[in-house]
């Protein structure tokens, strides 16, 4: 996909590119009128060397608060581990006004609007991909991409036109990309993955340690 230099790194909250997501968003506005209910902008350090790429906002997480990974289980684990790595300031209180800040890290999603059942379809990933590319282009010091799950892994590679087969997804996998960036994979830090034992906090920290090592090389 060619890079669209004129597109901003963040969609407007009322983005209308995906009819299914717009309909779901409107239904959520009726059911949850106090929620953010819009396309969720990225969160973090504009000079970040690390971009964490998730799947999509959670209905009662980022879709409620308007900040990626804020207000749900996956965010509590992610922010706790980023803090343990020394990549944050303040304390996450699951509110966008809690003063919590990320250092050297930005967090975004492959799809910026909450999808039904937390499952975006291919067309929605494709529609949102230019915003992910613009987000990448807007980070002048970017060095490492940290993909949470296979969908984030795949869409990141497709952004650059790289063959998926050449960079297989696996937890803690490290991929040196032809454009000079390093892609680190992790299982998504979702409640389901943690509850089923697919991902432990120790495993997640190990993947983040790979990210730290990649920064130093």
């Amino acid at each position: 996909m060619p890079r669209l230099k004129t597109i901003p790194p963040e969609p407007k909250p009322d983005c209308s590119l995906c009819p299914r997501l717009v309909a779901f968003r409107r239904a959520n506005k009726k059911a949850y009128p106090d929620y953010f209910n819009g396309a969720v902008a990225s969160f973090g350090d504009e000079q970040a060397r690390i971009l964490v790429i998730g799947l999509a906002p959670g209905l009662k997480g980022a879709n409620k608060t308007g900040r990626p990974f804020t207000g749900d289980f996956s965010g509590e684990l992610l922010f706790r581990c980023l803090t343990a790595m020394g990549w944050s300031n303040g304390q996450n209180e699951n509110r966008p006004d809690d003063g919590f800040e990320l250092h050297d890290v930005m967090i975004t999603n492959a799809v910026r609007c909450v999808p039904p059942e937390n499952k975006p379809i291919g067309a929605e990933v494709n529609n949102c991909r230019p915003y992910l590319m613009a987000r990448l282009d807007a980070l002048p010091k970017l060095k490492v991409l940290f993909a949470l799950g296979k969908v984030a892994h795949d869409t990141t590679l497709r952004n650059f036109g790289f063959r998926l087969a050449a960079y297989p997804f696996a937890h803690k996998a490290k991929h040196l990309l032809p454009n000079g960036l390093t892609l680190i994979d992790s299982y998504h830090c979702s409640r389901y993955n943690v509850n089923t034992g697919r991902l432990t906090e120790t495993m997640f920290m190990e993947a983040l340690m790979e990210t730290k090592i990649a920064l130093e090389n």
Side-chain angles (χ1 to χ4, degrees):
M1 171 179 291
R3 298 194 177 199
L4 304 177
K5 292 295 186 180
T6 58
I7 195 169
E10 310 297 341
K12 295 180 180 179
D14 62 349
C15 179
S16 60
L17 287 177
C18 304
R20 189 181 77 118
L21 300 188
V22 171
F24 191 55
R25 190 170 68 217
R26 288 173 178 168
N28 287 328
K29 284 184 178 180
K30 293 180 180 180
Y32 309 104
D34 295 332
Y35 282 17
F36 175 75
N37 289 317
V40 177
S42 306
F43 166 57
D45 187 348
E46 292 288 347
Q47 300 298 313
R49 293 182 295 164
I50 304 165
L51 182 64
V52 176
I53 305 170
L55 175 59
L59 175 60
K60 297 183 178 181
N63 181 65
K64 177 180 180 179
T65 63
R67 190 174 76 182
F69 287 87
T70 299
D72 57 21
F73 176 89
S74 59
E76 291 180 2
L77 176 58
L78 174 61
F79 290 148
R80 183 167 66 249
C81 290
L82 292 178
T83 296
M85 295 295 296
W87 293 333
S88 73
N89 298 306
Q91 182 174 346
N92 170 44
E93 297 178 356
N94 287 321
R95 304 190 322 270
D97 62 349
D98 57 13
F100 184 69
E101 297 178 342
L102 298 178
H103 171 67
D104 216 11
V105 176
M106 179 168 279
I107 301 173
T108 194
N109 278 305
V111 175
R112 304 297 183 86
C113 295
V114 59
E117 300 180 348
N118 293 320
K119 295 179 181 178
I121 60 176
E124 292 156 358
V125 176
N126 290 340
N127 285 344
C128 221
R129 191 171 294 140
Y131 289 108
L132 178 56
M133 182 58 77
R135 182 68 271 170
L136 291 164
D137 285 341
L139 293 173
K141 298 181 180 179
L142 184 62
K143 188 171 182 179
V144 180
L145 308 172
F146 188 78
L148 295 174
K150 191 173 186 300
V151 173
H153 167 94
D154 288 355
T155 196
T156 299
L157 292 174
R158 288 191 176 108
N159 270 340
F160 301 116
F162 299 152
R163 292 177 58 249
L164 300 187
Y167 307 96
F169 175 84
H171 185 71
K172 284 179 56 179
K174 178 180 178 181
H175 308 284
L176 302 179
L177 303 180
N179 58 8
L181 297 175
T182 299
L183 174 62
I184 306 290
D185 292 333
S186 173
Y187 293 137
H188 196 286
C189 49
S190 66
R191 183 186 297 273
Y192 176 82
N193 280 345
V194 172
N195 286 349
T196 59
R198 181 178 178 84
L199 179 71
T200 65
E201 187 164 334
T202 297
M203 291 170 61
F204 195 61
M205 287 295 295
E206 289 172 348
L208 289 175
M209 283 301 302
E210 291 293 329
T211 301
K212 182 178 181 181
I213 293 169
L215 285 181
E216 297 170 349
N217 293 335

